[in-house]
């Protein structure tokens, strides 16, 4: 298995210390995270995209470019790029530039996003999100693979003989499809034979497994080999300790603080409390042995080759503690027991 560390750049007062970071301090924290992730052998680092408080992740290509300048090996992911509201021309230009500055380490994960506040900001309705995503995705693919593109659609002005600059550094920038709530995303990925990344954050395993199973079924329908499917998966919150009791005690204030945010409430998670989320959901809170056991269980259900984790919300000291402990005590076991060839040659492979 391969591992990605990611952040939505959530900036709320620390639930234990009360410390509040300025935006500048939070961005510096993210840069430190990414550098540490590379030093500890993580395979990728991702930045999500949100357009409202408490998140500072409105400009992923800018932040990922800063990370690219401070790292040399780690893959750079967008987790996710909210393509349903973005101009594909701007996306093509920004991320092709980042692709050059990172020397081909970029991979895009596209999706409709997980925050309804961005629709009025960018002039579409929530009901249009899937149609908008499909149209913009098709145009982005053409802009990266073709020159002199002539195109007409609903969600941006027509194009006549347009060649975006710069052209990507990679022959083909890998595109994943974020999957959280609808078969429309898994259908789009399957149609084009591209990988999916399950959010796997707020609901029981069965919900996400159903979508992943649908993806593999539709791959076969569209003439792709489902055995070659590439699946990534997110996880619930990470908090490791020597015992489950200690992990729960230390993590509870953070869980309660996040559940109180409007962003968490929007997801309508069915879990009653932290214990319920740990027992019936993807939260990685417990001893090293318990966390490994849960990741193995989810891998058996999903068949995922990549796992992403986040330490958003913790103090910087705890972030380092959790990242280091995961990298040294959890990741080596899973790499050995569940080998993955994704990114083995510096690019997306099966």
């Amino acid at each position: 298995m391969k591992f990605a560390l990611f952040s939505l750049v959530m900036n709320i007062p620390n639930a234990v210390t009360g410390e509040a970071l300025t935006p500048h301090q939070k961005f510096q924290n993210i840069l430190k995270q990414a550098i540490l992730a590379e030093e500890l052998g993580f395979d990728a680092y991702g930045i999500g995209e949100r357009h409202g408080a408490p998140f500072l992740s409105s400009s992923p290509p800018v932040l990922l470019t800063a990370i690219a300048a401070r790292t040399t090996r780690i893959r750079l992911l967008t987790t996710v790029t909210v393509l349903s509201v973005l101009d594909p021309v701007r996306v093509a230009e920004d991320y092709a530039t980042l692709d050059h500055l990172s020397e081909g380490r970029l991979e895009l994960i596209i999706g409709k996003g997980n925050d309804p506040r961005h629709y009025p900001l960018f002039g579409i309705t929530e009901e249009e999100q899937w149609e908008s995503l499909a149209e913009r995705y098709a145009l982005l693919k053409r802009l990266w693979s073709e020159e002199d593109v002539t195109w007409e659609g609903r969600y941006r002005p027509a194009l006549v003989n347009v060649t975006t600059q710069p052209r990507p550094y990679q022959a083909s920038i890998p595109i994943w499809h974020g999957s959280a709530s609808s078969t429309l995303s898994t259908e789009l990925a399957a149609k084009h034979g591209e990988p999916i990344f399950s959010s796997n954050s707020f609901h029981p395993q069965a919900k996400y497994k159903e979508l992943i199973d649908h993806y593999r079924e539709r791959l076969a329908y569209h003439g792709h080999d489902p055995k070659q499917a590439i699946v990534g998966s997110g996880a619930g919150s990470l908090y490791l300790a020597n015992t489950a009791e200690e992990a729960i005690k230390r993590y509870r204030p953070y869980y309660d603080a996040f559940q109180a945010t409007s962003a968490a409430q929007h997801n309508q998670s069915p879990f009653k409390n932290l214990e319920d989320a740990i027992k019936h959901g993807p939260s990685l809170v417990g001893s090293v042995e318990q966390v490994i056991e849960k990741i193995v269980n989810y891998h058996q259900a999903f068949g995922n080759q990549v796992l992403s984790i986040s330490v958003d919300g913790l103090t910087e000291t705890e972030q380092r503690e959790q990242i280091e402990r995961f990298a040294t005590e959890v990741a080596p076991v899973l790499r050995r027991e569940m080998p993955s060839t994704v990114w083995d040659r510096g690019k997306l492979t099966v």
Side-chain angles (χ1 to χ4, degrees):
M1 185 173 285
K2 298 297 171 61
F3 301 99
L5 183 65
F6 80 98
S7 177
L8 286 169
V9 201
M10 181 176 67
N11 196 30
I12 60 176
N14 185 271
V16 175
T17 68
E19 179 186 18
L21 299 181
T22 67
H24 174 75
Q25 289 171 327
K26 183 61 180 179
F27 287 133
Q28 294 303 310
N29 169 244
I30 293 299
L31 296 177
K32 292 175 186 176
Q33 260 193 37
I35 293 167
L36 179 61
E38 178 165 273
E39 290 174 353
L40 292 173
F42 278 81
D43 303 282
Y45 190 88
I47 294 292
E49 180 178 340
R50 296 289 179 90
H51 294 275
F55 306 100
L56 302 178
S57 51
S58 57
S59 300
V62 176
L63 194 44
L64 286 170
T65 297
I67 292 170
R70 291 162 172 82
T71 57
T72 59
R73 175 195 57 80
I74 202 164
R75 302 295 292 175
L76 304 175
L77 308 179
T78 63
T79 54
V80 301
T81 293
V82 187
L83 190 58
S84 59
V85 300
L86 302 178
D87 180 357
V89 172
R90 182 80 265 181
V91 171
E93 294 170 338
D94 284 349
Y95 283 108
T97 302
L98 170 56
D99 197 37
H100 279 274
L101 294 173
S102 67
E103 298 186 319
R105 290 186 281 143
L106 171 67
E107 302 196 10
L108 223 63
I109 305 178
I110 65 166
K112 66 174 183 59
N114 192 35
D115 189 335
R117 292 176 296 179
H118 54 229
Y119 299 115
L121 279 178
F122 293 95
I124 73 167
T125 66
E126 193 165 356
E127 291 71 28
E128 296 175 294
Q129 60 187 330
W130 293 111
E131 181 182 347
S132 173
L133 176 63
E135 178 183 293
R136 296 173 200 254
Y137 161 78
L139 176 55
L140 176 63
K141 293 275 287 185
R142 288 191 63 192
L143 291 170
W144 272 346
S145 62
E146 302 175 26
E147 299 183 357
D148 299 321
V149 173
T150 295
W151 173 93
E152 185 172 349
R154 179 179 178 184
Y155 294 101
R156 64 146 290 125
L159 303 175
V160 179
N161 296 330
V162 169
T163 302
T164 57
Q165 297 294 340
R167 309 306 294 157
Y169 180 90
Q170 298 176 82
S172 178
I173 294 176
I175 295 179
W176 302 64
H177 295 252
S179 171
S181 61
S182 173
T183 55
L184 293 173
S185 58
T186 49
E187 174 68 24
L188 189 63
K191 179 180 179 181
H192 294 275
E194 293 175 331
I196 64 168
F197 217 109
S198 173
S199 66
N200 187 39
S201 298
F202 302 105
H203 295 273
Q205 184 186 93
K207 174 180 179 177
Y208 302 109
K209 184 180 186 303
E210 183 177 349
L211 289 168
I212 293 169
D213 289 346
H214 174 265
Y215 165 65
R216 288 195 170 95
E217 291 167 5
R218 298 304 291 174
L219 276 174
Y221 175 85
H222 289 292
H224 307 289
D225 184 358
K227 294 180 180 178
Q228 299 298 310
I230 299 177
V231 176
S233 174
S237 303
L238 173 72
Y239 208 100
L240 295 162
N242 293 333
T243 66
E245 292 76 17
E246 180 188 358
I248 291 170
K249 179 180 179 180
R250 292 177 63 183
Y251 185 68
R252 189 182 303 280
Y254 298 113
Y255 176 85
D256 292 342
F258 180 65
Q259 292 305 309
T261 66
S262 59
Q265 292 167 9
H266 168 70
N267 290 297
Q268 299 180 329
S269 177
F271 306 126
K272 300 186 294 291
N273 51 41
L274 176 56
E275 286 80 2
D276 190 28
I278 295 170
K279 183 176 181 181
H280 297 110
S283 293
L284 301 177
V285 178
S287 68
V288 169
E289 293 76 17
Q290 289 170 318
V291 166
I292 290 174
E293 182 181 0
K294 173 168 280 190
I295 294 172
V296 170
N297 176 273
Y298 272 75
H299 171 74
Q300 290 171 344
F302 295 168
N304 57 301
Q305 297 97 319
V306 179
L307 176 73
S308 67
I309 62 169
S310 177
V311 291
D312 270 358
L314 307 182
T315 65
E316 193 164 294
T317 298
E318 286 175 299
Q319 288 177 17
R320 174 176 283 273
E321 172 197 358
Q322 292 300 317
I323 295 168
E324 289 181 342
R325 193 157 188 183
F326 185 92
T328 58
E329 299 180 48
V330 176
V333 176
L334 298 173
R335 290 186 195 279
R336 183 173 63 249
E337 295 186 2
M338 293 175 288
S340 167
T341 59
V342 173
W343 299 323
D344 273 0
R345 291 183 290 276
K347 60 182 180 178
L348 186 63
T349 55
V350 294

